[in-house]
Amino acid sequence: MFDQGEILDESKVSVSIRNKALNYGLGCFEGIRAFWNDSQNQLYIFRIYDHYKRFHESGNALHIPIPYTSMKLIPWTLQLLRKNNVREDVYIRPICFKGANTLRPNLLDQYNRVSIYCTQLTYMPKPAIKVCVSSWTRSGNNMIPPQAKSTGNYLNSGLASSEARLNGFDEAIFITDRGNVSEGTGENIFIVKNNKLITPPLSDHLLAGITRDTVMQIAKNELQLPVLEQSIARTELYSADEVFFTGTAIGIKAIINIDHRMIGNGSEGTITRNIRFLYENIARGNNPKYFGFCTPVY
Ligand code: PMP
């Protein structure tokens, strides 16, 4: 893994039990994927510049300034993948956290540690999922801001996803304190209604997902679908023609049942499938029009 600008064996990297990021959740991170393209014998990292841009934006919002520029972090990430000779799909996790071992959850001390590691990841292998609206409210933009990808905020996600699993669902959908649909625990959400694609605006307490942005571009440019960013009420979920999640880990995932109500005809809808095919093809480096999103490793 990369730790503080050095490639090290993972066994040489450690964190004290006193570490304040561990004790108080004072960190931010990214989740990036690279896709192996067999016919081109190449590994492509998807939208790495945008992920590191968001990493810096998260750090800036949280008083955890990332001590290295993207111009350093990107070559280090490439180096890490080459060093591990990765020739399959892989998930990359850069993380920056408060390195001090002091009590008090203050963010103003300047020791911000950065590590990058990679791992295989099969996130939710089912082709379509059943979800519930969570009894937990999404932490708001003025609480733990969801637009910063902070470690601490994943306690909110953890509570909702655990509750969903315990109740027999695959995942949870958060609503905001105002009752609008927000996002999943690690995914953005879209509905299809009358051949329009609708997703909640950032002001409904959600992360500005990079997959979300990609889907909006694909829908407009490749499928000529109108795309609206507008608040969605809970009951609009139940009457949607199609609903799907988007995210780096999950990809594009059809939601076929919400709170025991069947969505559409209970299987992946046509628009969801078209968007998924386009996205998977683009991310794997098979669509020349979108090569700009794909950074070759070798
Ligand atoms: N919302 C949350 C809370 C997330 O953790 C993620 C995963 N990063 C997303 C949305 C989707 O974002 P992206 O498409 O950039 O992975």
Side-chain angles (χ1 to χ4, degrees), residues 140-199:
N141 281 333
N142 211 25
M143 299 174 187
I144 304 177
Q147 271 163 61
K149 199 167 161 56
S150 62
T151 57
N153 209 13
Y154 283 81
L155 190 50
N156 187 220
S157 289
L159 287 167
S161 66
S162 307
E163 178 193 55
R165 293 288 174 92
L166 289 171
N167 289 336
F169 298 97
D170 297 309
E171 242 301 14
I173 296 171
F174 278 120
I175 51 177
T176 68
D177 49 351
R178 293 181 163 208
N180 295 328
V181 173
S182 177
E183 60 176 346
T185 65
E187 309 88 10
N188 294 116
I189 191 165
F190 285 81
I191 67 170
V192 177
K193 185 73 183 172
N194 299 332
N195 286 315
K196 290 195 186 80
L197 203 56
I198 308 171
T199 195

Side-chain angles (χ1 to χ4, degrees), residues 53-159:
K53 183 164 179 278
R54 188 172 67 185
F55 193 38
H56 285 96
E57 287 167 0
S58 295
N60 187 47
L62 298 168
H63 290 303
I64 311 173
I66 316 293
Y68 308 104
T69 63
S70 294
M71 287 307 119
K72 285 227 156 78
L73 293 167
I74 291 169
W76 286 343
T77 306
L78 292 168
Q79 207 183 322
L80 177 70
L81 295 176
R82 286 188 204 122
K83 178 89 184 174
N84 284 295
N85 195 27
V86 177
R87 288 170 187 278
E88 60 188 350
D89 294 357
V90 71
Y91 184 84
I92 305 155
R93 167 57 53 82
I95 180 162
C96 182
F97 58 97
K98 290 290 164 190
N101 294 340
T102 48
L103 289 174
R104 293 196 189 186
N106 189 305
L107 288 157
L108 300 180
D109 52 81
Q110 288 308 308
Y111 179 28
N112 300 299
R113 264 180 76 168
V114 176
S115 300
I116 311 170
Y117 63 89
C118 57
T119 183
Q120 281 182 319
L121 179 69
T122 311
Y123 196 67
M124 216 175 272
K126 283 185 182 177
I129 56 173
K130 299 184 178 192
V131 309
C132 61
V133 170
S134 185
S135 72
W136 296 96
T137 303
R138 187 66 174 144
S139 56
N141 281 333
N142 211 25
M143 299 174 187
I144 304 177
Q147 271 163 61
K149 199 167 161 56
S150 62
T151 57
N153 209 13
Y154 283 81
L155 190 50
N156 187 220
S157 289
L159 287 167

Side-chain angles (χ1 to χ4, degrees), residues 29-31 51 54 91 138 146 149 154 157 183-188 206-213 246-249:
F29 65 98
E30 268 305 317
H51 279 284
R54 188 172 67 185
Y91 184 84
R138 187 66 174 144
K149 199 167 161 56
Y154 283 81
S157 289
E183 60 176 346
T185 65
E187 309 88 10
N188 294 116
L206 48 107
L207 184 74
I210 288 163
T211 323
R212 174 183 182 272
D213 178 71
T246 66
T248 298

